[in-house]
């Protein structure tokens, strides 16, 4: 759900969604979400975010795992 | 952070292993150069090749297909429907949508119609799904390529896949496996089609970023059968090393491929002929010389019947036993 006072971090493969206070850098959000930065790409709509990108409150980002098995 | 190539646009992809960061346009240039350089260095493809690209609906194979089309290769896609509830349908949807966007229609093999859907076959034969899947896929990759007169089969294995496999082979001193680990497996008389891995120089993060920025809609969920795959353990170990020492993966793999690497020399001495390597690739058994035709299906093999037919027979017998048990 949209929250203007928090950052929404979606992890679709884990079927998880977190609300974290902003503004924060992507790498800090990932640390709070327990995700290693080199195993994911982070997107905001059609934009790909670098790990030092500053995310503002009210923003939704997606954390997509890139690790494939088998 | 600014793009380190054009120095104007905002960077979208940072690559510590290359001490670099790129805006989307410059990243496309970088990524395609990495792939074409990997093709050129190991002579994986020639301009006149007819390439059968094996596509699963995941990022790597669709990105591979995309790059090869853009580079002007003559390609067709092959999708193997593994018969996994829900997952296979969603994967197929992505493949068909991507293919349509490039004016292509992929070749589709449905394992349910072939009598060997992976989950049911694994249950019947009491085998690991990934093991069955590997045998079945290799069989159809080669069969479809040979029947369709393709000159080469291309798969989307990337640097992370190849280094994970290398680490596993080294940890267990799998000399035979090391001998046949290479982005190029030459073809052989008797119907073995050349197999290549053009993405061997690019990482999973790079293919995912390329796919996302190009708007390729790939399946992001993992195959439900691969949750316990050992390759994931090796990948995580290597990824932790890469976190601390960016660039280690590519150094590790390029060092392995270097012809002057004593380990590689030993591997080549153990398997001097290209078709020896393919024997184990196709049949998962040691073999040498020119393959003969499988007594059952005619596919190239170094044994009386090929590993696919033996697998089918095992599943058939297990089904019969189950049916007999159930009717008592």
């Amino acid at each position: 759900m949209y929250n203007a006072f928090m950052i929404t971090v979606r992890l679709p493969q884990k079927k998880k969604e977190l609300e974290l206070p902003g503004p924060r850098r992507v790498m800090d959000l990932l640390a709070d979400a327990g995700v290693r930065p080199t195993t994911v790409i982070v997107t905001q709509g059609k934009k790909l975010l670098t790990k030092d990108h500053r995310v503002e409150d009210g923003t939704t980002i997606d954390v997509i795992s890139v690790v494939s098995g088998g | 952070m600014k793009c380190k190539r054009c120095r104007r646009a905002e960077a979208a992809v940072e690559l510590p292993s290359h001490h670099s960061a790129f805006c989307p346009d410059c990243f496309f240039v970088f990524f395609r150069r990495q792939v074409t350089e990997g093709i050129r260095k190991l002579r994986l493809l020639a301009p006149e090749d007819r390439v059968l690209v094996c596509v699963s609906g995941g990022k790597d194979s669709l990105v591979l297909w995309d790059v090869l089309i853009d580079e002007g290769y003559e390609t067709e896609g092959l999708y193997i429907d593994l018969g996994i509830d829900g997952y296979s349908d969603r994967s197929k949807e992505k493949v068909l949508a991507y293919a349509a966007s490039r004016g292509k229609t992929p070749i589709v093999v449905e394992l349910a119609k072939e009598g060997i859907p992976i989950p049911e076959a694994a249950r019947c034969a009491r085998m690991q799904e990934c093991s069955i899947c590997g045998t079945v896929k290799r069989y159809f990759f080669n069969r479809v390529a040979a029947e369709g007169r393709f000159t080469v089969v291309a798969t989307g294995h990337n640097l992370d896949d190849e280094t994970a496999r290398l680490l596993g082979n080294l940890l267990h001193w799998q000399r035979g496996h090391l001998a046949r680990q290479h982005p190029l497996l030459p073809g052989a008389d008797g119907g073995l089609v050349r197999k290549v891995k053009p993405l061997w120089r690019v990482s999973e993060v790079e293919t995912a970023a390329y796919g996302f920025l190009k708007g390729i809609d790939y399946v992001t969920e993992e195959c439900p059968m691969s949750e316990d795959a050992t390759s994931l353990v090796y990948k995580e170990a290597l990824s932790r090393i890469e976190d601390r020492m960016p660039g280690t993966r590519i150094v590790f793999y390029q060092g392995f491929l270097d012809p002057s690497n004593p380990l590689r020399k030993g591997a080549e001495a153990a398997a001097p002929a290209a078709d020896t390597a393919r024997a184990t690739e196709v049949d998962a058994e040691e073999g040498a010389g020119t393959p003969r035709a499988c007594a059952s299906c005619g596919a190239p093999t170094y044994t009386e019947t090929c590993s696919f037919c033996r697998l089918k027979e095992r599943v058939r017998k297990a089904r019969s036993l189950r049916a007999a048990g159930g009717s008592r």
Side-chain angles (χ1 to χ4, degrees):
Chain A
M1 193 188 288
Y2 177 73
N3 186 335
F5 304 104
M6 300 286 263
I7 297 165
T8 304
V9 180
R10 297 191 298 204
L11 300 108
Q13 287 131 313
K14 290 185 179 172
K15 297 184 171 65
K16 226 165 100 175
E17 193 169 303
L18 306 169
E19 298 282 339
L20 297 170
R24 316 246 308 266
R25 290 178 308 172
V26 167
M27 65 176 86
D28 300 324
L29 293 168
L30 292 177
D32 277 6
V35 175
R36 293 200 6 261
T38 50
T39 61
V40 294
I41 56 170
V42 181
T43 65
Q44 181 188 344
K46 291 192 171 178
K47 260 177 69 184
L48 196 55
L49 306 181
T50 53
K51 305 300 187 284
D52 68 346
H53 181 91
R54 194 177 125 112
V55 184
E56 302 294 334
D57 278 329
T59 307
T60 298
I61 63 169
D62 289 315
V63 178
I64 317 285
S65 169
V66 300
V67 183
S68 55
Chain B
M1 188 190 300
K2 291 282 178 206
C3 171
K4 294 204 174 163
R5 185 169 176 267
C6 69
R7 299 180 191 281
R8 287 191 306 272
E10 200 61 31
V13 189
E14 53 190 325
L15 300 175
S17 58
H18 294 274
H19 307 290
S20 216
F22 298 106
C23 67
D25 286 345
C26 290
F27 179 65
F28 293 150
V29 175
F30 164 83
F31 186 90
R32 281 175 58 164
R33 261 194 208 148
Q34 287 293 314
V35 179
T36 51
E37 189 62 7
I39 291 171
R40 188 196 63 77
K41 268 192 167 185
L42 299 180
R43 297 181 185 177
L44 302 184
L45 298 172
E48 64 274 15
D49 267 323
R50 283 196 73 223
V51 190
L52 181 66
V53 186
C54 304
V55 283
S56 64
K59 64 186 187 310
D60 303 303
S61 55
L62 290 182
V63 163
L64 170 63
W65 200 7
D66 195 72
V67 172
L68 293 182
I69 291 172
D70 287 349
E71 286 297 317
Y73 289 99
E74 185 188 346
T75 65
E76 294 298 335
L78 166 63
Y79 174 73
I80 297 183
D81 185 330
L82 305 174
I84 299 170
D85 266 352
Y87 174 75
S88 288
D89 289 336
R90 291 190 288 277
S91 307
K92 184 156 77 179
E93 216 170 88
K94 303 286 184 192
V95 170
L96 295 177
Y98 174 76
S101 76
R102 302 301 306 247
K104 302 267 188 187
T105 307
I107 300 163
V108 176
V109 172
E110 291 183 29
L111 294 187
K113 283 187 185 163
E114 298 290 336
I116 193 152
I118 299 298
E120 191 259 354
R123 274 196 307 276
C124 282
R126 295 186 181 181
M127 288 174 72
Q128 288 284 328
E129 289 90 351
C130 293
S131 161
I132 292 187
C133 190
T135 299
V136 172
K137 275 182 178 171
R138 282 192 293 273
Y139 173 83
F140 281 106
F141 290 170
N142 197 74
R143 185 170 123 181
V144 172
E147 287 175 357
R149 300 194 176 282
F150 290 91
T151 54
V152 59
V153 172
T155 58
H157 294 93
N158 57 43
L159 180 63
D160 298 41
D161 298 323
E162 289 307 291
T163 48
R165 187 175 164 201
L166 176 57
L167 180 62
N169 287 339
L170 285 171
L171 289 175
H172 296 99
W173 290 115
Q174 298 276 11
R175 288 181 175 80
H177 291 193
L178 287 165
R180 62 182 173 275
Q181 180 171 0
H182 198 276
L184 168 67
L185 289 174
D189 290 341
L192 280 186
V193 181
R194 175 166 36 110
K195 251 175 100 176
V196 297
K197 298 172 181 174
L199 299 184
W200 68 272
R201 279 166 63 94
V202 293
S203 69
E204 276 182 331
V205 166
E206 289 165 46
T207 55
Y210 187 87
F212 177 80
L213 291 171
K214 284 275 282 182
I216 297 172
D217 186 17
Y218 57 85
V219 66
T220 54
E221 68 184 293
E222 259 313 294
C223 172
M225 306 282 143
S226 73
E227 277 172 7
D228 298 322
T230 50
S231 63
L232 291 174
V233 178
Y234 301 133
K235 275 190 179 180
E236 186 176 351
L238 284 165
S239 163
R240 286 181 184 277
I241 295 170
E242 186 78 19
D243 283 351
R244 297 289 299 272
M245 294 177 280
T248 301
R249 263 198 209 102
I250 190 70
V251 171
F252 182 41
Y253 195 52
Q254 279 183 327
F256 169 68
L257 295 180
D258 189 331
S260 69
N261 173 8
L263 187 65
R264 189 85 213 134
K265 274 185 178 168
E268 276 156 16
D275 40 8
T276 306
R278 294 307 308 276
T280 41
E281 175 70 18
V282 166
D283 244 0
E285 283 180 15
E286 296 300 330
T290 304
R292 55 182 160 165
C294 167
S296 176
C297 72
T301 179
Y302 292 86
T303 49
E304 184 67 22
T305 51
C306 72
S307 52
F308 176 72
C309 287
R310 291 200 304 276
L311 175 64
K312 270 188 93 169
E313 182 58 15
R314 183 171 167 172
V315 172
R316 190 193 63 76
K317 278 184 182 163
R319 276 192 196 123
S320 307
L321 276 172
R322 280 192 162 198
S327 62
R328 273 179 208 149

